[in-house]
């Protein structure tokens, strides 16, 4: 990116989360975006000798701990982003909580790809006053990356190994149990990134499409009409109601399988086939993920496809869920 063409202006979008939180008198964290964002910006400036003159505009469409994120919150966020004049900025930084970052990041990827500028989502594992917090580090790298001018939607986050990784926002996976680390298929170590190093298309998630094609401007209102189910031993499909459901996304085991054995009785409520049949009767599309029709290796997978289940593969379960949510929204 040509330094002379920089606008030296970044839009910071706050949604809440730990990175926007402080500890209360009871010692518990709660959202305080108005108090934390100025601190975060000032701490970031102290870490960036080359970008002290960058101006940070801030908007706060929503303010919540990310575990409290809802589809209604997402709609408020999208409505606010549609009013932004992105041509005024070098890029966008979205502050978010870590609990549902893996859900909002693919949403932002689908909606904001093609805007022609870098959009970086960051979170923090601790509040900013905690010495173990990676919040300032993540913000610092987000600014450096934005100033390289590589369009696309990304997540930047330092794991507990003290390596800062760049992720394609579409590919971000959920943190594992008892873990604060994020992973993705094409994650890249950018810990040694120099301010003026431009790698361009080598970055995961880089995209330079036409801004007129960005889904953000289709003004869809998201609705929570997708039923997502994960398989487990002992599952009882009779417990799932299909009221108000527009589509079902059913996860599979790693071999693209689920229980299809029905030798106990004809209408076995622990067989996925029982739910597929109910969806067929109700004319509700039934998707299974991850599954490639041509790569099926087990006899247990065949009955699902024969009953009309629609196989999907390529992305994570969370990105696939978001894709279907967009598809079946108003």
């Amino acid at each position: 990116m040509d330094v002379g063409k920089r606008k030296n202006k970044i839009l910071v979008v706050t949604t809440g989360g730990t990175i926007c939180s402080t500890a209360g008198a009871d010692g518990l964290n709660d959202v305080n975006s108005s108090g934390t964002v100025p601190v975060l910006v000032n701490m970031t400036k102290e870490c960036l000798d080359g970008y002290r003159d960058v101006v940070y505009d801030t908007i706060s469409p929503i303010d919540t701990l990310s575990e409290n994120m809802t589809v209604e919150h997402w709609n408020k966020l999208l409505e606010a982003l549609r009013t932004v004049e992105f041509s005024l900025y070098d890029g966008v930084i979205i502050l978010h909580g870590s609990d549902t970052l893996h859900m909002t990041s693919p949403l932002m990827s689908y909606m904001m790809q093609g805007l022609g500028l870098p959009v970086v989502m960051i979170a923090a594992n601790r509040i900013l006053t905690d010495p173990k917090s990676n919040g300032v580090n993540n913000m610092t790298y987000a600014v450096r990356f934005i100033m390289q001018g590589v369009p696309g939607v990304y997540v930047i986050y330092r794991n507990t190994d003290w390596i800062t990784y760049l992720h394609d926002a579409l590919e971000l996976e959920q943190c594992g149990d008892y873990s604060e680390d994020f992973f993705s298929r094409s994650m890249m170590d950018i810990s040694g990134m120099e301010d003026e190093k431009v790698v361009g298309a080598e970055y995961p998630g880089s995209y330079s499409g036409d801004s007129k094609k960005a889904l953000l401007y289709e003004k869809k209102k998201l609705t929570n009409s997708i039923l997502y189910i994960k398989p487990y031993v002992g599952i009882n499909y009779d417990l799932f109601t299909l009221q108000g459901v527009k589509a079902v996304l059913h996860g599979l085991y790693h071999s693209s399988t689920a229980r299809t054995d029905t030798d106990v009785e004809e209408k076995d409520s622990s067989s996925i086939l029982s739910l597929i049949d109910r969806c067929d009767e109700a004319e509700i599309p039934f998707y299974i993920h991850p599954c490639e029709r041509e790569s099926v290796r087990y006899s247990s997978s065949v009955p699902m496809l024969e009953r009309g289940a629609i196989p999907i593969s390529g992305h994570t379960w969370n990105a696939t869920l978001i894709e279907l949510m967009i598809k079946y929204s108003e």
Side-chain angles (χ1 to χ4, degrees), residues 126-134:
R126 299 284 193 281
I127 59 175
L128 298 178
T129 54
D130 190 318
K132 295 181 180 179
S133 176
N134 58 13

Side-chain angles (χ1 to χ4, degrees), residues 230-235 251-259 289-290:
K230 285 188 176 181
Y232 58 89
V233 175
I235 191 170
L252 301 176
Y253 296 122
H254 75 96
S255 300
S256 295
T257 58
R259 182 172 183 270
H289 172 276

Side-chain angles (χ1 to χ4, degrees), residues 195-251:
D195 289 349
E196 301 305 326
K197 179 182 178 183
V198 179
V199 181
E202 294 182 18
Y203 285 130
S206 61
Y207 182 85
S208 56
D210 184 352
S211 62
K212 294 180 180 179
K213 296 181 181 179
L215 288 180
L216 180 66
Y217 297 113
E218 290 191 3
K219 296 188 177 181
K220 275 196 171 186
K221 183 177 180 181
L222 300 176
T223 56
N224 52 348
S225 57
I226 307 299
L227 174 62
Y228 175 62
I229 303 173
K230 285 188 176 181
Y232 58 89
V233 175
I235 191 170
N236 182 355
Y237 289 104
D238 286 347
L239 300 179
F240 293 93
T241 175
L242 297 177
Q243 183 176 359
V245 174
K246 291 184 178 179
V248 172
L249 174 62
H250 198 297

Side-chain angles (χ1 to χ4, degrees), residues 291-321:
C291 182
E292 293 180 340
R293 189 181 298 272
E294 299 77 12
S295 302
V296 167
R297 294 183 292 122
Y298 290 89
S299 59
S300 54
S301 301
V302 175
M304 294 186 290
L305 298 172
E306 290 179 341
R307 296 286 183 100
I310 305 167
I312 302 181
S313 63
H315 295 310
T316 59
W317 70 265
N318 39 301
T320 303
L321 177 58

Side-chain angles (χ1 to χ4, degrees), residues 41-73:
V41 168
N42 288 334
M43 294 174 74
T44 300
K45 287 182 177 180
E46 292 299 317
C47 298
L48 290 170
D49 292 333
Y51 302 118
R52 295 287 180 91
D53 57 347
V54 172
V55 175
Y56 299 88
D57 287 348
T58 303
I59 60 172
S60 301
I62 54 177
D63 203 25
T64 184
L65 293 172
S66 72
E67 59 268 30
N68 293 326
M69 189 65 68
T70 64
V71 174
E72 289 73 21
H73 283 136

Side-chain angles (χ1 to χ4, degrees), residues 3 10 41 47 78 116 133 168 182 193 231 268 272 305 322 330:
V3 175
I10 292 175
V41 168
C47 298
L78 294 174
S133 176
D168 180 345
F182 281 103
M193 182 177 65
D268 190 340
I272 190 175
L305 298 172
I322 295 297
E330 299 173 3

Side-chain angles (χ1 to χ4, degrees), residues 14-35:
T14 74
T15 69
T18 299
I19 197 168
C20 293
S21 295
T22 55
D26 56 3
L28 300 177
N29 299 336
D30 207 349
V31 179
N32 180 16
S33 294
S34 60

